Structure formats: structure tokens, C-alpha cells
Amino acid sequence: MTTTLTEAAPMAEPGIHCHAWALPSGDTGPGVARGLLRDTLRQWRLPDELIDDAVLAVSELTANLVQHVMSKHHDLRDRSPELWLYRRGAGERDQIVCKAFDPLRDWAPDTPADELDEHGRGLSIVDAVVTDWGCHLTRSMLGGPGRSVPGKAVWFAIDAPLAPEPTVAWTAPEAARLLQRALVTRDIPCRRDQDGGRAVVSVFDGPIVRCEERTFTWMLGRELTRRPYGELVEVTERLVQIHEQRTARTAGSSTRASVNTKEG
């Protein structure tokens, strides 16, 4: 299948930097991913060493995706893999987050390293050059409401020089509206409401997110999470992951991605 490269800005709000690209599903995918990542990180004026590490890591992730997902599962050929890139933790611990999405839920992290990529080095090379990495269930960013595809993302994060915290001047109702829109774009059912004067977004089979004091706040079990409005992308990713993991458990999914579901 010939894939036309497209780029979307799923959250093209002032101060929010998030890129999502459809990748070719064949052997040209890793090369395209390297070029996209290198060009974007240069535009962000990041150090050359960081860029080189990120390009090496994305090459390994996408080579693994092409060889072990797209080339072996021909029924997925009409669903393009995707590459996502964004920043998180500005003002605290700034990181570059890169994710390679594919429409196959299963993942076997215990596959021998020499079988994991075209170079024979496997994901061990990713572990050597990044700060953290993992795999989790999620849904595609591209496509829009009604067309988001379930799958998984293999991701990595690399510490970056601190950048100014994104300047967002949203009111609580505006933040709730943007979060709801981001979730609906990924086909995550949710409802926006008011709770005691605070704006809230209730995620079906997920947490209730309160928007107040320029912060998204939610409880999951006994764990309280607070993220600034400027981390809309990261917040959306976490909520999509929570929803997809719970949906998979409810459906009795046998996916093996759950063995390595660190937050990405």
C-alpha cells in the first residue's frame, strides 16, 4: 500500500507542541521517521547529542514495527502506523516524548533481542540511549472522531534542557472543552460538566478530571495526579491509556502489552 505522508496537529493550541505523522508501512518507514524526527528537533533547537540519540531510538522502534507488525499482519496494511512527538514536564523535568503507534494490540517484550529489528540490536539499543521507554495500549491520533483505531504505542522519553512552561491563558471551562475535544477525537466517550463551580470532564470507565487553578486534577485509586494546562497532550495520552486498559480488561483481552504499561 502506498501511504501519503500527512501531518496533523491534534492539539494545535497556542503553546502546545504536538506532531503526529502517518508513516509508510513498508521498509521506507524507519528512514521517513528519522527524517521527520531530526528536522523537528532541530526546529526546537535541541542539542545535537540529544537529537542523535532520539533519531537512533526512533529508527529502532519503527524498524521493529515494520518487521514484526506491518510485514507479518497483512490485514493491517490499510491502517497506517503513526509517529507522535511532543514535550512534557516543562518547568520541572522537561522531556521529549516520541511514540510509534501501530494497530496491533499484542506485543511480546520477551522476544529475543536479535529478532527484534533489522540491525540485530533490538530494543536494547533504545534502552541504552533514552531516559525511559515502554509500551501501552492507546488509540490512533490521526483520523478524527469515529475513525480512531485501537492499538498500542511503543514510546521513549529523553531528558531535555528545561524550556519555558507553555503559556496558556485558558479559563477552567476552556480547558475542559479542549480536553473533551481531544478525547472525543480519539473516540474516548466523556462528558463535560460543572461541579461546584469547577469545570470537570468525566471519562467513561475512567476518572473524573477537574479543571481548576490552571491544573488538570484526577484520582485513580488512591493516586492523585495534577498536571498544568500546558500538558494537555500528556494528560490526554494518560486518560486514553487508562480507558483502553480498562476496556481491554473488561473485554477479557489477551494482549501482552499490559506487561509493560509504564505511563508514556
Side-chain angles (χ1 to χ4, degrees):
M1 178 185 72
T2 300
T3 302
T4 301
L5 283 180
T6 58
E7 180 180 359
M11 299 174 201
E13 301 296 330
I16 304 298
H17 301 287
C18 177
H19 294 270
W21 300 274
L23 290 177
S25 58
D27 292 340
T28 60
V32 170
R34 290 193 295 269
L36 290 170
L37 196 68
R38 186 181 297 278
D39 289 347
T40 304
L41 296 183
R42 281 176 173 168
Q43 292 172 13
W44 291 357
R45 300 182 183 278
L46 292 170
D48 289 342
E49 182 179 358
L50 183 155
I51 295 175
D52 290 342
D53 287 344
V55 168
L56 177 58
V58 79
S59 184
E60 301 299 327
L61 290 193
T62 51
N64 180 47
L65 183 157
V66 168
Q67 183 175 351
H68 294 280
V69 178
M70 306 310 296
S71 67
K72 293 184 177 180
H73 297 270
H74 300 289
D75 56 317
L76 302 178
R77 289 290 181 85
D78 61 338
R79 305 176 189 176
S80 295
E82 298 177 9
L83 181 68
W84 309 339
L85 180 67
Y86 64 93
R87 300 183 77 144
R88 70 180 179 192
E92 299 175 0
R93 182 193 182 195
D94 200 14
Q95 290 188 325
I96 303 302
V97 181
C98 182
K99 301 190 178 187
F101 169 85
D102 71 72
L104 183 67
R105 300 287 254 190
D106 292 341
W107 183 57
D110 54 347
T111 301
D114 60 358
E115 297 179 12
L116 279 175
D117 70 15
E118 61 188 0
H119 306 296
R121 292 174 294 182
L123 294 175
S124 60
I125 196 69
V126 176
D127 189 61
V129 299
V130 306
T131 304
D132 200 5
W133 70 279
C135 177
H136 63 78
L137 299 181
T138 187
R139 301 187 69 88
S140 62
M141 278 195 183
L142 303 179
R147 297 186 297 275
S148 181
V149 176
K152 68 177 180 298
V154 184
W155 62 272
F156 66 83
I158 299 180
D159 287 345
L162 288 179
E165 186 171 341
T167 302
V168 293
W170 308 329
T171 64
E174 288 172 335
R177 177 182 60 81
L178 291 171
L179 178 59
Q180 181 190 36
R181 185 173 71 181
L183 291 170
V184 168
T185 298
R186 308 280 288 278
D187 288 334
I188 302 299
C190 59
R191 184 182 67 189
R192 178 162 46 100
D193 209 339
Q194 296 287 324
D195 178 17
R198 296 173 295 188
V200 301
V201 176
S202 302
V203 182
F204 177 74
D205 199 20
I208 297 174
V209 182
R210 291 177 169 79
C211 305
E212 55 186 347
E213 299 178 356
R214 298 182 181 275
T215 303
F216 296 110
T217 305
W218 69 90
M219 291 287 296
L220 190 62
R222 296 183 178 180
E223 181 179 355
L224 175 68
T225 299
R226 295 174 58 89
R227 304 306 305 171
Y229 288 167
E231 295 216 2
L232 175 62
V233 180
E234 176 71 7
V235 169
T236 302
E237 276 296 283
R238 293 193 183 192
L239 294 174
V240 172
Q241 179 182 347
I242 290 168
H243 179 271
E244 292 302 289
Q245 288 174 341
R246 290 187 171 183
T247 299
R249 285 197 295 267
T250 300
S253 172
S254 62
T255 179
R256 301 175 66 186
S258 60
V259 303
N260 190 0
T261 53
K262 293 183 291 184
E263 290 179 346

